[in-house]
Amino acid sequence: MRRTLFESLTRRPLTETPPTADNAALAELAASLDRAARQRLGRSLAIREVDAGSCNGCELEIHALNNAFYDLERFGLRFVASPRHADVLLVTGPVTRNMREALERTFNATPEPKWVVAVGRCAADGGVFAGSYAVVGGVDAVIPADLHIAGCPPTPLQLLQGLLALLAPRRDRVAPQP
Amino acid sequence: MPVLADILAQGQRVVGHRPWPRYQVTPEAWNQAASAIAAGRASLFGLWGDTGAAPMVNMAIIEESSGDIAVASLACPMRKFPSVGALHPPAIRLERAIHSLCGLEPVGAPDTRPWLDFGFWNVKHPLGECAPVAAAPGAYAFLPAEGAALHQIPVGPVHAGTIEPGHFRFTASGETVVRLEERLGYVHKGIESLMAGATIERAAQLAARASGDSTVAYGIAFAHAVEAALGIEAPARARYVRALMAELERLANHLGDIGAICNDAAFALMQAHCAVLREEVLRAAARSFGHRLMMDRVVPGGVAADLHADGPNVIRALLQDIRLRFPRLVELYDNTASLQDRTAAAGVVSVDLVRRFAASGYIGRASGRGFDARKTPGYAPYDRLDFTVPVLTEGDVDARIWIRVREVEQSLQLIEQILATLPGGPVATALEGGDGEGLGLAEGFRGDVLAWVRLDGLSVVRCHLRDPSWFQWPLLESAVEGNIVADFPLCNKSFNCSYSGHDL
């Protein structure tokens, strides 16, 4: 173990330079959140991930955000175990009828102010599962989503770009509404 | 098929079912087959309902010694069939699902509670008569555990980590788990219903999303089934490219699992290093195939796109890197007594239980069952590749880690062989419509995936997908018994069953 730890001290870090926030995500946030809400988004956000019916592909890529290459925590974003500790709900999957109530309860258990990020194609509109008897549809069909990150599944880079929009410095943001 | 031949010979062979036979059998032969499975003379491989023009239940059976496979079909004109679960418990959940989805009732079944259906769908028996009903969720009756000192702990469906939803009902005596009962179905998306009537192309996309971590394995199983039904074969190069993707998928998942299991024993160092290796596999996959998880790359008839020109070099560099760094991580695991203290003797599954459930993958192999669909019945190109299937008998978390470690080593050398012998030529065959039935298998990282399909032209009439988790989830209930509640995440991660693949 000592050898492994010492080597990590001398080796260059694997962590990549941060990407810039996704423009589409910035625009969507500017449109959906009022100025006061955006001011309250600080540089430290607690994320609660909720799988509302996904195939688990999105979960794999969300997991990857924690690896040394993407190292989500350096941005002040971290995953928490309870919705009661969360500022952001990261929701994946088409919302299944069997998960609808659990998603609503998780949303209700999250204290205000809170934001919902819908991750992946299915979370946008049900994706390939739209129209099934067992699927309600996208996340918006159940709780209001503030931001959508596209992809099937989105790559960790796409996830990072979308999430960074939540944290983007104010000068990068679209001009505040009067 | 020596044991089952007599039983199935009483039935009538169905024309156009490939590559293994399907027989229309009498209720007596159905019961005899179920008894033979219960006696351990053959293994249950799948059990599903089919409510086309004539409702029937199908039971896939494999004789492991010979690799022979057959499907027994029993017509259910009265929408009832003799329960297999009454004789052979591993069939119980499958039968509950058949009742909930197709409306076919297993007569004499020991457990008649619904499965997957929570009462929220607005329809009843969605794969059967699909009658509209008002949503009426009722309370679910968990199995009782009685005693003065017992208490219940409900966990889920929303869990503390970034994992899929499922409900676990623990009954504990102090710290010790007396009974665990799983309730699954939260991520049921109605995939089989969406597949009915879909084009082969759309059905393949749905199959690829049955369980995202096994998207290549599902792609291959579905492609095998469709190709068998149409009586065609994918070109040689396509089969090698599929195997290359399958082994990369196995590598990525095993590396991720080894780290994540150690992390659940609070040993984060392994997780950090394994996650780096996993990421490198996914990046190599993206550069070689254009998608990190290689989703939608396997299609019936071949593969959607050939390996990129610099793919072989990218993958060879990846192999070199893993060979350099992985052995040291294995050594770290092997020499950390505090970690082994958590994993050794935790979550034991008995050899006998694994054999009865015919559990596959690392769960089976850690408890003495060396079944691997790549060997038995086997499929191209693995018949031309040299590899061994590791088997242990301890059946604990530690053994499930070691099986993964050995499989990583096997996958590395399989990939090397595939790259060295990759044939040239086309990577896809055009599909021409047909109206056959096909059964397909693929060995995913978790175990064998079974796909069964009935085609009409270029569209799917009915498709059934059976995840390996169906025969693994029930064993988790047994593995946890007698362990402390705090060791459940560790045991669960060492199983890493699919929620989505099971719920479908």
Side-chain angles (χ1 to χ4, degrees):
Chain A
M1 184 182 332
R2 235 176 291 147
R3 201 165 49 149
T4 307
L5 288 172
F6 275 130
E7 256 189 29
S8 301
L9 286 177
T10 53
R11 213 169 50 187
R12 285 165 57 89
L14 296 166
T15 314
E16 302 196 332
T17 44
T20 50
D22 183 56
N23 279 331
L26 283 172
E28 187 184 0
L29 276 182
S32 72
L33 299 185
D34 64 24
R35 192 177 169 193
R38 272 180 284 140
Q39 275 179 334
R40 295 178 79 164
L41 284 169
R43 289 211 52 91
S44 171
L45 288 179
I47 302 172
R48 170 66 254 191
E49 200 270 347
V50 183
D51 174 344
S54 110
C55 75
N56 78 29
C58 288
E59 277 62 37
L60 296 175
E61 295 297 53
I62 290 171
H63 263 292
L65 289 174
N66 287 321
N67 74 32
F69 291 92
Y70 305 106
D71 190 17
L72 188 68
E73 291 213 16
R74 71 187 143 140
F75 302 108
L77 295 163
R78 66 189 198 286
F79 290 99
V80 292
S82 165
R84 299 194 191 280
H85 306 157
D87 307 301
V88 176
L89 290 184
L90 202 61
V91 188
T92 64
V95 182
T96 62
R97 291 193 184 276
N98 287 351
M99 269 305 284
R100 177 187 196 136
E101 185 188 346
L103 178 61
E104 285 168 347
R105 286 208 206 176
T106 306
F107 181 76
N108 292 337
T110 310
E112 294 277 0
K114 58 189 164 194
W115 294 272
V116 174
V117 180
V119 172
R121 166 82 204 284
C122 300
D125 60 2
V128 294
F129 306 110
S132 163
Y133 63 89
V135 166
V136 185
V139 171
D140 284 284
V142 179
I143 56 173
D146 301 293
L147 178 63
H148 296 81
I149 300 176
C152 183
T155 63
L157 204 62
Q158 287 173 302
L159 287 166
L160 213 47
Q161 287 173 327
L163 290 174
L164 285 184
L166 285 172
L167 295 177
R170 293 228 289 149
R171 64 178 178 280
D172 289 357
R173 291 220 177 121
V174 178
Q177 324 278 310
Chain B
M1 184 169 276
V3 176
L4 290 164
D6 299 343
I7 300 166
L8 296 173
Q10 306 166 28
Q12 198 180 355
R13 188 165 173 170
V14 177
V15 181
H17 188 278
R18 289 179 287 262
W20 298 285
R22 181 163 81 85
Y23 297 92
Q24 197 75 48
V25 299
T26 59
E28 292 72 37
W30 175 268
N31 280 333
Q32 282 174 28
S35 304
I37 291 169
R41 289 188 287 143
S43 301
L44 182 65
F45 216 35
L47 188 63
W48 67 97
D50 182 4
T51 46
M56 64 174 103
V57 279
N58 300 299
M59 173 162 50
I61 303 158
I62 181 165
E63 211 165 64
E64 288 175 40
S65 51
S66 59
D68 283 340
I69 294 171
V71 178
S73 300
L74 176 68
C76 318
M78 307 304 291
R79 298 194 167 269
K80 290 175 196 293
F81 64 99
S83 168
V84 179
L87 301 166
H88 187 57
I92 292 175
R93 283 187 184 170
L94 290 157
E95 285 183 348
R96 290 168 66 187
I98 289 172
H99 194 193
S100 289
L101 295 175
C102 304
L104 304 175
E105 188 194 336
V107 176
D111 189 339
T112 56
R113 294 173 296 169
W115 190 247
L116 307 179
D117 184 359
F118 297 178
F120 288 119
W121 294 339
N122 296 327
V123 293
K124 212 175 157 187
H125 309 145
L127 290 177
E129 77 266 34
C130 202
V133 289
Y140 186 73
F142 285 95
L143 298 175
E146 289 171 11
L150 300 185
H151 61 282
Q152 283 201 347
I153 310 172
V155 176
V158 179
H159 299 285
T162 302
I163 62 167
E164 299 178 77
H167 182 87
F168 300 106
R169 183 63 59 98
F170 295 94
T171 304
S173 170
E175 281 292 315
T176 309
V177 178
V178 175
R179 162 172 268 166
L180 162 64
E181 189 181 357
E182 297 151 359
R183 191 186 187 200
L184 301 170
Y186 289 92
V187 286
H188 177 78
K189 294 177 272 289
I191 290 178
E192 292 186 0
S193 145
L194 289 169
M195 280 176 150
T199 60
I200 290 176
E201 190 189 351
R202 170 160 157 78
Q205 287 175 1
L206 286 161
R209 285 158 184 79
S211 183
D213 53 14
S214 304
T215 179
V216 175
Y218 270 94
I220 295 174
F222 181 75
H224 282 168
V226 169
E227 288 157 11
L230 296 177
I232 60 165
E233 269 195 16
R237 185 176 175 85
R239 316 219 44 177
Y240 273 76
V241 171
R242 284 177 183 175
L244 182 55
M245 290 193 269
E247 296 311 318
L248 285 172
E249 181 174 87
R250 198 180 323 279
L251 263 187
N253 282 308
H254 280 347
L255 288 169
D257 278 0
I258 294 168
I261 299 167
C262 294
N263 193 52
D264 275 351
F267 195 71
L269 185 61
M270 279 292 278
Q271 159 88 329
H273 285 273
C274 286
V276 167
L277 293 183
R278 176 185 156 84
E279 175 70 20
E280 287 180 350
V281 176
L282 298 189
R283 288 178 174 206
R287 286 180 63 188
S288 307
F289 299 104
H291 191 286
R292 285 163 56 90
L293 305 181
M294 299 164 283
M295 207 169 246
D296 298 328
R297 267 38 184 185
V298 179
V299 291
V303 290
D306 202 351
L307 179 64
H308 288 187
D310 65 341
N313 290 333
V314 169
I315 296 172
R316 281 201 183 94
L318 170 77
L319 296 187
Q320 203 178 3
D321 195 45
I322 297 177
R323 286 220 160 101
L324 188 71
R325 293 196 278 153
F326 187 63
R328 199 181 293 171
L329 296 176
V330 177
E331 197 186 312
L332 176 62
Y333 173 74
D334 203 12
N335 292 333
T336 306
S338 61
L339 178 56
Q340 300 253 330
D341 184 48
R342 294 288 306 279
T343 58
V348 177
V349 186
S350 75
V351 170
D352 177 54
L353 212 49
V354 155
R355 189 186 50 72
R356 278 167 63 198
F357 275 76
S360 56
Y362 40 79
I363 297 170
R365 285 167 213 144
S367 296
R369 184 175 184 259
F371 181 80
D372 188 318
R374 293 172 296 175
K375 292 266 192 201
T376 316
Y379 51 91
Y382 292 101
D383 49 347
R384 290 172 179 273
L385 303 172
D386 181 30
F387 69 107
T388 56
V389 180
V391 180
L392 294 169
T393 51
E394 284 81 357
D396 55 0
V397 174
D398 180 54
R400 289 189 282 276
I401 290 180
W402 279 112
I403 295 289
R404 286 174 167 101
V405 168
R406 297 290 169 246
E407 289 191 5
V408 164
E409 294 162 1
Q410 290 300 314
S411 287
L412 290 175
Q413 61 116 337
L414 271 171
I415 292 172
E416 213 155 56
Q417 291 176 52
I418 293 167
L419 288 176
T421 55
L422 192 64
V427 291
T429 310
L431 301 184
E432 282 169 31
D435 56 357
E437 298 174 343
L439 186 66
L441 292 175
E443 185 71 22
F445 83 101
R446 186 179 278 123
D448 50 79
V449 175
L450 179 147
W452 180 84
V453 69
R454 175 182 294 140
L455 299 178
D456 178 14
L458 282 173
S459 66
V460 172
V461 178
R462 170 92 173 94
C463 176
H464 172 67
L465 301 170
R466 194 269 296 141
D467 196 87
S469 302
W470 278 98
F471 301 124
Q472 298 170 338
W473 272 120
L475 300 184
L476 179 62
E477 295 183 349
S478 158
V480 171
E481 194 183 318
N483 285 250
I484 59 170
V485 176
D487 269 352
F488 174 70
L490 182 66
C491 298
N492 190 21
K493 189 45 95 178
S494 79
F495 270 63
N496 192 18
C497 297
S498 176
Y499 298 71
S500 185
H502 167 281
D503 295 355
L504 226 53

